[in-house]
Amino acid sequence: MTVILLVLLTTTLVMGWFGLEDFVHALTFPGRLTGAVLIAVAFITFLGAAAVVDHWWWHSFPYSGVVALISTFAALLTNALLVVETARGDTAFYLAVFGALTVGSAWAVFAVWRTAVKIPAPKRVAAALIVSSAIAIANFGYQNLYQPYQRETRPLIEMSLGDPVLSQDRKEFSLPVDITLKNQGNVGFYVLGTEFHAMGERVPLSAKDRLRQQWRTDAEQWSKFQEMNPLSRRKIHQPGEMVEARPWMPFGQWIESSDTFATRVMVQLPMDTPYDQLAFYATASLARKDRLALEPPLQFKAYSWNGKGVPTWVKKGQQQGLDSIIYRARVHENNAIDERARDPRYVTVYWRFGTHGANVATSIARKGEEDHVPTGEERRALVSRYGLVDVITGPIERSLWDVKSRR
């Protein structure tokens, strides 16, 4: 009896602790429902502990044996499901705790059953156990199996160009670019990083048709630069050169469901610019608010060119002419069990820029693992778990011949 009481009371404390945290702080409705279920299990196991004492000693309640059997079975089922959940964690402590409780609960079920418990209306009791088990397993499966792989939702970036405006001395001009981020989905997103950049392109024309080999040479350049110039019979495309780059939304902010963020940037160039056209790009790196909680602030950590606290792969990019500004913040899991069973994770945002463009890269890893470059499978797991989304628009190209003709 002492072992049974120890298993039930320990299960009560653990389930009550995790259940209360999930019920109050989980980021999704299934997570909060799980918290409510864990609180209910804690209540059942607490009653079960009292029923065990009555069943062995007092014999004051005729159905105490049935209550003890149901509570031990509830403890067994819940602890077994939590073993599955914590097995994916980083620490063996909670796996060992729930593993021991599962073994103890299984023994408790057997020990109570051996006392020849009389079950009134056994079919009804069995039906109740089956239904409650099915509900618990369905909720666990929804939160841990279906939800991470449900149909993704992503915001939309719209970009439009205004009419160019000439300076009074007609030596410079400005081109307004309107950027709009629309979240038409049913979840909010953290904005981990955004970038807008404009590329200047020279496009001389060939006097005669270009040969097939020249098309192949153009296609070979696609792997070297962010923009992909089309194969053309007369245009001689050259690698674009970055004219301007900037963030267009504050780091660490968020956009709620059905919300819109709009801004305007101005690109200014001299009238005698050597470029024939401009290409505009806008991107945003986002994370779903129902998959993680971002602990503010998302603050600056390092520059790639000062060499302090910079991952090796970023230093290699630095040697190839790609500079990075690095930001970092702590992230929290979307439920209490994963928050306790997994080591702390940090999101790192790399705002990168160079002669041939700019982009934003993000990673989520434990402290000290910034040097690790995730494999494709690891990257897909991160994207699924934390709801990482990259939204990209562009290139939107605009010829400058009409502007330059006004000189």
Side-chain angles (χ1 to χ4, degrees):
M1 186 189 73
T2 302
V3 175
I4 299 175
L5 286 176
L6 180 62
V7 170
L8 290 177
L9 292 177
T10 303
T11 300
T12 298
L13 292 175
V14 174
M15 299 304 168
W17 179 35
F18 280 116
L20 186 60
E21 283 199 12
D22 262 345
F23 186 73
V24 175
H25 299 295
L27 301 181
T28 62
F29 173 75
R32 301 208 173 195
L33 182 59
T34 298
V37 171
L38 293 180
I39 292 174
V41 170
F43 181 72
I44 292 171
T45 53
F46 181 74
L47 290 180
V52 167
V53 175
D54 183 80
H55 183 62
W56 255 266
W57 283 352
W58 299 335
H59 306 289
S60 60
F61 182 59
Y63 301 119
S64 58
V66 176
V67 175
L69 183 62
I70 292 175
S71 65
T72 53
F73 178 80
L76 171 61
L77 176 63
T78 309
N79 284 317
L81 291 176
L82 291 180
V83 165
V84 176
E85 175 67 14
T86 53
R88 302 183 302 172
D90 302 312
T91 175
F93 175 75
Y94 288 102
L95 179 60
V97 169
F98 289 117
L101 288 176
T102 300
V103 174
S105 300
W107 184 87
V109 171
F110 177 71
V112 173
W113 180 263
R114 286 185 59 188
T115 61
V117 175
K118 295 182 179 180
I119 303 176
K123 292 183 179 180
R124 294 182 181 180
V125 173
L129 290 177
I130 293 173
V131 170
S132 60
S133 300
I135 292 174
I137 294 174
N139 179 69
F140 177 84
Y142 176 82
Q143 180 169 339
N144 296 279
L145 300 178
Y146 170 75
Q147 190 182 21
Y149 300 99
Q150 65 180 318
R151 184 177 180 181
E152 295 294 337
T153 177
R154 63 175 55 233
L156 174 68
I157 296 178
E158 294 181 351
M159 188 164 51
S160 60
L161 309 180
D163 295 327
V165 179
L166 274 62
S167 62
Q168 290 185 348
D169 59 6
R170 304 183 69 84
K171 292 183 178 180
E172 296 90 19
F173 69 94
S174 297
L175 188 64
V177 182
D178 293 314
I179 306 172
T180 304
L181 178 64
K182 294 182 177 181
N183 182 12
Q184 300 173 334
N186 55 4
V187 297
F189 287 84
Y190 289 107
V191 180
L192 304 179
T194 61
E195 66 85 17
F196 161 82
H197 69 276
M199 303 293 291
E201 299 174 348
R202 296 179 178 89
V203 191
L205 298 179
S206 172
K208 57 183 179 179
D209 288 352
R210 305 174 70 240
L211 301 177
R212 184 178 180 185
Q213 182 57 45
Q214 292 174 308
W215 289 8
R216 292 174 178 173
T217 302
D218 285 347
E220 290 173 358
Q221 304 304 311
W222 290 355
S223 62
K224 300 179 181 179
F225 308 107
Q226 181 173 348
E227 71 272 15
M228 289 189 177
N229 293 318
L231 306 181
S232 175
R233 186 171 297 276
R234 290 297 181 97
K235 293 180 181 179
I236 305 175
H237 287 282
Q238 298 179 1
E241 298 175 349
M242 192 171 71
V243 172
E244 185 170 326
R246 67 174 73 177
W248 51 271
M249 192 172 181
F251 291 85
Q253 297 298 309
W254 56 85
I255 181 168
E256 297 293 356
S257 173
S258 303
D259 200 1
T260 300
F261 175 86
T263 188
R264 168 174 285 190
V265 299
M266 302 295 292
V267 177
Q268 296 177 297
L269 286 172
M271 291 293 290
D272 60 352
T273 177
Y275 304 120
D276 297 301
Q277 64 186 30
L278 293 177
F280 301 96
Y281 301 79
T283 64
S285 182
L286 313 171
R288 290 175 56 143
K289 291 183 69 178
D290 62 342
R291 301 286 180 85
L292 61 79
L294 184 66
E295 182 179 301
L298 182 58
Q299 59 185 358
F300 164 78
K301 281 298 179 182
Y303 300 110
S304 62
W305 51 90
N306 66 12
K308 297 179 180 179
V310 178
T312 302
W313 63 271
V314 176
K315 293 179 181 178
K316 292 180 179 179
Q318 173 76 29
Q319 296 171 358
Q320 298 172 359
L322 193 61
D323 295 322
S324 299
I325 305 174
I326 304 173
Y327 299 83
R328 186 170 298 140
R330 170 75 190 278
V331 298
H332 297 278
E333 306 291 334
N334 69 350
N335 65 86
I337 298 171
D338 286 341
E339 179 71 10
R340 300 293 180 183
R342 290 170 61 85
D343 293 336
R345 256 65 173 180
Y346 296 83
V347 59
T348 306
V349 180
Y350 303 91
W351 205 94
R352 305 190 294 181
F353 59 96
T355 305
H356 298 294
N359 61 61
V360 176
T362 60
S363 68
I364 296 179
R366 291 178 286 192
K367 184 174 290 186
E369 293 185 349
E370 292 82 6
D371 271 339
H372 175 66
V373 178
T375 63
E377 183 177 352
E378 291 172 337
R379 180 64 185 175
R380 287 190 294 272
L382 279 177
V383 169
S384 174
R385 184 177 190 88
Y386 296 108
L388 300 179
V389 175
D390 290 323
V391 187
I392 302 172
T393 189
I396 295 179
E397 297 182 330
R398 209 279 187 192
S399 172
L400 297 181
W401 287 349
D402 62 325
V403 180
K404 296 168 70 172
S405 65
R406 302 181 190 181
R407 285 182 291 180

